[in-house]
Amino acid sequence: PSYTYLPNSGTSPSINDGYYAIVNNISPVSSTYPNAALMNSCSGFTGVQACSNREFNGFWDITGDHTGSTTSAGNAPPGATTSGGYMLVVNADLATSEAYHQVIGGLCPNTYYQFSAWVKNICPNCGIDSNGHATYQEGVLPNLTLVVDSIDRISTGQLDHGSGWQQRGFVFLTGPNENSITISIRNNAPGGGGNDWALDDITLATCPPNLTLTPDRPDTLCQGADDTVRFAISAFVNNYTHFQLNKSTDGGVTWGPAGLDTLNRADTGTVVPNYNIVTGQYVDTLSRYFRVPATTSLTIYQLVVASTDSNLKSASCSYTTMQPKYVYGVNCLIALPTTILNFRGQLGQNGLGNLQWATGGEVPGLVFTVERSDDGAHYTAVGTLPATAVPGQGAAYRFTDPAAVAAQSYYRLRLTSGGATQYSQLVLLSNSGISFQVRSVQNPFTDQINIELIAPATGNATITLTDLFGRPVRRLIQPIGPGLNTINVYGLGSLPDAAYALQLQYRDQLVSQKVVKIQAPRR
């Protein structure tokens, strides 16, 4: 506004007071030598060192733009035949005025944005004295104000030449129904004798919430069982409070509302984030309990979060978890009489996984399929073995995975005969060593607690459940083996609904976690 655009800076005409240009090199001759001579020391310098390489024959910088750079130095000046990013170069008008103005639409209401820009004082020697004579020193320093919707938000302060490119900006919140703003940059200092500056990388950005699946693994449950779908919501601002839980039953092709859970809680609503002083974020956890369909199925759940209910309905103003929850429903009523007496594994030569298992009560036509997963979620068949025992008897089997074990690889057996299928427990192998860790704990619980833990070697795990007064209400010593172990603590239905402390001890390591007993949902 009120400035004159100079399409080509060139050597003539010059970018005088009240003019601006859009260039990729401030040098009027596209010089790539930033250390050319400056006024008033031009005598004797020729070629790349001559003052004529600079604007006004010896004053302005020779430099490129800032885009892609993260430092105050910015980019090197490109030559006349070299591509380079562009910047706005302003020779401030003698009168203070607005120097940049833009309307930006497509914004989301009730959303925090950061408005910022990179600016630079481009003249080290443009000063003049009270008589208008050149001093060949730094003159009037640029001083800009960043404005949104005619409200001054932040001033750059005086920009000295030696600091190079400097970023200035602030965070603001759009109104409840606001989807566009007017941004402007006002020039606070008078032109003449300095106040020459460049502007680049005007940015309007927002910081979305982080949506995490907890625990980050799928569930395989019997048809008709209940499952917990839990997502953690964290953000550096406290207004991502509206959520919508969706599900897909066709592998993620289409999505719809998840519906009421088993406790009759809605799939949409609001959460109340709490500030975590350690992470500096506002966090909350959303939990819902859904019943697995009565048929073999795959149900996928995803969480959508936004700052308002209207934003929740907008794809551009809402955020969806990148890792959905997979729930597999399997038929647990049709069981093979075959029993897996033990299923173990160890890391062999060249990092290959060696698996061994023994069976009892084999049936005719039984086939073992070895399945592997490197993420604990998606399994792929890596080999099949036909059963060899006489029907009704058992046998021992060995299998070596032809592919090397990853950092952590899970194995399971799928037993099939006729139309019946049965799965074994999991075996975990690692090429980087396994440490004791609790992988998952059912929380809240009703009449039992299902626990998955990983152990580096054979031993005993001691599970103790205590009330809030520290009194043990259940204690279990369970033998465990190396890798992944599943432990079930049964007979807890008679306990009062309350919070308890669950302690899991393996050798000299102890893990304690708070769990909550709730009443079983009515059928």
Side-chain angles (χ1 to χ4, degrees):
S2 75
Y3 278 74
T4 302
Y5 172 55
L6 199 63
N8 182 9
S9 61
T11 55
S12 180
S14 297
I15 308 174
N16 293 312
D17 292 335
Y19 283 77
Y20 72 94
I22 299 175
V23 299
N24 62 5
N25 187 342
I26 298 178
S27 168
V29 294
S30 298
S31 170
T32 60
Y33 185 67
N35 297 320
L38 286 161
M39 281 287 191
N40 192 30
S41 301
C42 296
S43 178
F45 292 102
T46 59
V48 296
Q49 294 183 320
C51 284
S52 58
N53 292 296
R54 298 181 182 273
E55 185 75 2
F56 303 114
N57 289 307
F59 285 91
W60 284 7
D61 287 341
I62 299 175
T63 183
D65 76 331
H66 186 271
T67 302
S69 173
T70 59
T71 68
S72 61
N75 297 317
T81 60
T82 304
S83 297
Y86 284 79
M87 59 192 142
L88 176 72
V89 173
V90 176
N91 191 332
D93 203 346
L94 294 176
T96 60
S97 64
E98 187 180 37
Y100 187 90
H101 185 102
Q102 183 179 1
V103 177
I104 299 179
L107 303 184
C108 300
N110 194 39
T111 300
Y112 286 95
Y113 287 93
Q114 181 189 52
F115 171 40
S116 65
W118 286 82
V119 290
K120 179 183 181 182
N121 182 336
I122 61 173
C123 189
N125 60 343
C126 287
I128 57 175
D129 60 21
S130 58
N131 296 317
H133 299 142
T135 63
Y136 305 110
Q137 296 178 356
E138 197 165 8
V140 178
L141 301 179
N143 187 330
L144 310 174
T145 294
L146 278 60
V147 181
V148 170
D149 293 336
S150 300
I151 301 175
D152 293 357
R153 303 297 178 126
I154 192 173
S155 173
T156 64
Q158 292 187 328
L159 300 172
D160 63 281
H161 178 268
S163 297
W165 286 102
Q166 301 176 60
Q167 187 182 34
R168 295 291 187 270
F170 57 89
V171 174
F172 67 96
L173 179 67
T174 53
N177 300 303
E178 187 176 26
N179 55 24
S180 68
I181 61 170
T182 299
I183 65 172
S184 64
I185 298 176
R186 189 177 67 240
N187 183 54
N188 295 326
N195 201 7
D196 306 318
W197 46 274
L199 173 71
D200 202 12
D201 291 346
I202 299 175
T203 304
L204 195 64
T206 188
C207 187
N210 184 34
L211 310 178
T212 308
L213 175 65
T214 58
D216 56 347
R217 59 173 178 79
D219 288 339
T220 300
L221 300 171
C222 296
Q223 299 168 2
D226 290 338
D227 189 38
T228 303
V229 178
R230 183 181 296 112
F231 291 92
I233 307 167
S234 59
F236 286 100
V237 293
N238 64 351
N239 65 335
Y240 287 109
T241 56
H242 293 252
F243 73 87
Q244 170 72 55
L245 191 61
N246 296 325
K247 71 177 181 181
S248 172
T249 57
D250 56 7
V253 177
T254 59
W255 295 88
L260 296 175
D261 74 349
T262 56
L263 299 181
N264 290 320
R265 293 183 299 179
D267 53 18
T268 185
T270 59
V271 294
V272 181
N274 299 302
Y275 184 70
N276 187 315
I277 194 172
V278 177
T279 63
Q281 298 189 59
Y282 293 89
V283 297
D284 199 0
T285 300
L286 178 75
S287 297
R288 289 295 185 269
Y289 309 106
F290 291 100
R291 188 149 298 153
V292 178
T295 58
T296 300
S297 62
L298 167 61
T299 307
I300 312 175
Y301 296 92
Q302 68 175 9
L303 181 66
V304 184
V305 171
S307 61
T308 66
D309 185 62
S310 59
N311 285 348
L312 199 61
K313 300 176 176 62
S314 169
S316 60
C317 294
S318 60
Y319 300 91
T320 304
T321 177
M322 298 298 294
Q323 183 180 8
K325 172 78 170 187
Y326 290 82
V327 179
Y328 297 90
V330 298
N331 188 349
C332 300
L333 300 179
I334 303 177
L336 290 170
T338 303
T339 302
I340 300 295
L341 300 177
N342 58 67
F343 180 37
R344 297 185 176 90
Q346 62 183 7
L347 202 62
Q349 293 183 345
N350 301 319
L352 303 181
N354 295 326
L355 306 173
Q356 309 92 37
W357 65 95
T359 64
E362 291 190 5
V363 295
L366 180 65
V367 176
F368 301 99
T369 301
V370 182
E371 297 182 341
R372 166 177 167 165
S373 173
D374 291 337
D375 61 4
H378 305 88
Y379 283 84
T380 303
V382 295
T384 58
L385 286 83
T388 59
V390 176
Q393 302 297 313
Y397 299 88
R398 292 178 179 272
F399 176 82
T400 300
D401 187 353
V405 169
Q408 285 191 339
S409 294
Y410 298 86
Y411 292 92
R412 69 183 182 187
L413 299 175
R414 177 161 53 90
L415 288 67
T416 54
S417 178
T421 299
Q422 179 177 314
Y423 286 91
S424 71
Q425 67 181 34
L426 299 180
V427 166
L428 171 63
L429 298 179
S430 172
N431 62 13
S432 59
I434 298 175
S435 60
F436 174 68
Q437 56 181 292
V438 178
R439 190 167 183 262
S440 68
V441 173
Q442 179 183 348
N443 189 23
F445 67 93
T446 54
D447 56 357
Q448 68 182 55
I449 301 177
N450 301 318
I451 304 168
E452 288 186 349
L453 56 83
I454 297 172
T458 301
N460 290 327
T462 302
I463 298 94
T464 306
L465 187 67
T466 63
D467 61 20
L468 293 183
F469 297 97
R471 298 174 299 197
V473 297
R474 189 59 47 87
R475 183 180 176 87
L476 173 68
I477 299 178
Q478 177 74 33
I480 58 175
L484 183 64
N485 297 263
T486 300
I487 301 175
N488 297 311
V489 183
Y490 296 104
L492 306 177
S494 60
L495 293 177
D497 292 353
Y500 295 86
L502 180 68
Q503 295 181 340
L504 301 102
Q505 183 172 2
Y506 170 80
R507 296 181 179 176
D508 60 347
Q509 295 178 279
L510 179 67
V511 175
S512 182
Q513 180 174 332
K514 178 183 176 181
V515 292
V516 178
K517 165 73 165 56
I518 62 173
Q519 191 175 36
R522 294 183 179 180
R523 297 290 192 257

